[in-house]
Amino acid sequence: MENGNAPFVRDALYISMDEKKTLSLPASGNFLTVFEPISKSRLRSVCRSILTDSSGKRQVPLYNVVWIETANGNIFIDYAAQSSKTHVKLERWAFALAKDKESPGSSQPEEFAARVLERAYGDSQLRKRAYVLINPHAGPGGALRKWSNEVKPLFVAARMELDVVTLTRGGEATDLAEQVDIEKYDTIMACSGDGTPHEIFNGLAKRPDAAHALAKIAVSHIPCGSGNAMSCNLYGSYRPSFAALAIIKGITTPLDLVSITQGNRRFLSFLSQSLGIVAESDLGTEHLRWMGGSRFEVGVLMRIFRRRCYPCDLAVKIEVGEKSDIKAHYKWHTNGAGAKQLPPDVVATGQVGSKGLPQLKYGTVQDQLPDDWELVQYDKIGNFYCGNMAYMAPDANFFSAAMASDGCMDLVTVNGDLSPITATKLLYSVESGKFFDNPHVQYKKISAYRIVPRNQKDGYISIDGERIPFEPFQAEIHQGLGRVISKRGAFEAAGPANWDKVTLADRLHA
């Protein structure tokens, strides 16, 4: 069956336009189809994702469609066109609706537009309300320009409600998050590096209704810093416009958060904690911010060749200790019931009226160590690295088994006395995806730990990229305490190599 010269797809919704053009939405599939046999040049687009054929049919991914509406006898489609590997930008198609009698089977334009929006957004919320915090000094700078040129046009086209604040000092994001009306917004959006999300989580944590606030309002991230780990994990990109589209189409996702206690202080970590090479390469290269993400590699290489070691006492609460079992754990949470819902006590933390942060199961760093923790004295540790997300920077998937809400931190330790050649190869195995299986890498799933530095008066400890005093501290996971907006409800990172080949019969305990 055909509508003029346009092919009609059975069971599809379609509308007729002037000059024998049609717009159709197949009953299945992820594309919006435009048919324009006469003047194909009118549909010229830089979007690499648009599929075309010689008949004049063009298919636009529904993921790229941010809005569609009818007005004054026209239908308008706003979509994100991928103009290059590094950018998507807003484009609009406008079509005049047919003025004569509609063809049999043609949908009403308003109904058609509503169905397209429904399919284009799926489980994602339309017209999200965002409290945007822009850090103009993040990373190499340029956050305001990126916001205005690459991000805001997409949000405006998606009819998002935006309240925008330009930050002027460190700690301001914490203060704003502590005072925010959580009923007014769906997300607090950091247009920054990873430091501002850290402040936002801790601002919410300082509220009297901390548990409810953390579960009520999602944190999102427009990458404008050096590492941009949060965006890499949640959106699979460190490009601002790609992250913006992922936020528009993204879904609210539970995220494990970590309580850190040091002295009498308690605060939250959402990303990572490190002592040793990684911490020094991050915090000790602040003067190289102009290099962007490359400063981390320079810092790591400098310390590898020095064979630096950082003696410490480390006590951990191990949940999964062997790499083969970790792969089974990852498989179960990715494919099984563990990926579907959180335990009832985790869901309960989001109830209105819940008090403050959850109680600490294992006490603080000042309390006696629990009997079931494993205590090891490390004399030659070169890198202590504990992650709550997979990517720590673009192409730096240090924690390939990390998941958003499995109730575990991923702990990596590496000796510091490796030869420079071996250590350098180990560094580059992160990018190749072979880091997890490297025999020099000790990798465990844990729920809590305490680390006590030894034989060193001063050094670097990094929590989410922020420096804290070089003193003992303790960490404890809280499953699903926070909320973020992610692209698909999980991290955008490949798991450990061959995790999908692990048989359930061999790993029933997972």
Side-chain angles (χ1 to χ4, degrees), residues 30 42 64 92 111 143 163 178 194 232 259 276-278 293 304 326 347 352 354 361 380 385:
N30 298 313
R42 294 185 185 179
N64 291 64
R92 164 169 279 203
E111 175 196 2
D163 285 343
E178 184 179 3
D194 293 310
C232 291
S259 274
I277 289 177
V278 170
I304 281 177
I326 290 172
V347 178
V352 176
S354 56
K361 183 177 180 180
K380 296 183 178 181
Y385 208 2

Side-chain angles (χ1 to χ4, degrees), residues 237-251:
S237 176
Y238 60 96
R239 307 293 185 181
S241 57
F242 282 93
L245 179 58
I247 291 170
I248 291 170
K249 294 302 184 73
I251 59 177

Side-chain angles (χ1 to χ4, degrees), residues 378-453:
Y378 287 94
D379 295 323
K380 296 183 178 181
I381 193 170
N383 191 39
F384 165 89
Y385 208 2
C386 195
N388 198 37
M389 290 186 169
Y391 285 105
M392 295 296 109
D395 300 320
N397 186 352
F398 273 97
F399 304 102
S400 56
M403 284 167 283
S405 56
D406 69 337
C408 292
M409 295 173 275
D410 288 37
L411 173 62
V412 166
T413 54
V414 179
N415 286 341
D417 60 348
L418 300 177
S419 71
I421 293 177
T422 300
T424 301
K425 289 181 178 179
L426 183 61
L427 170 66
Y428 285 105
S429 73
V430 175
E431 186 173 346
S432 67
K434 299 178 180 179
F435 182 76
F436 178 90
D437 287 313
N438 191 294
H440 296 291
V441 174
Q442 291 81 51
Y443 197 116
K444 302 179 187 300
K445 286 274 187 181
I446 65 174
S447 57
Y449 69 86
R450 179 183 300 178
I451 187 166
V452 180

Side-chain angles (χ1 to χ4, degrees), residues 82-99:
Q82 185 176 342
S83 56
S84 68
K85 292 181 178 180
T86 60
H87 291 88
V88 294
K89 69 176 185 178
L90 183 67
E91 285 195 0
R92 164 169 279 203
W93 283 347
F95 302 100
L97 295 168
K99 298 175 182 177

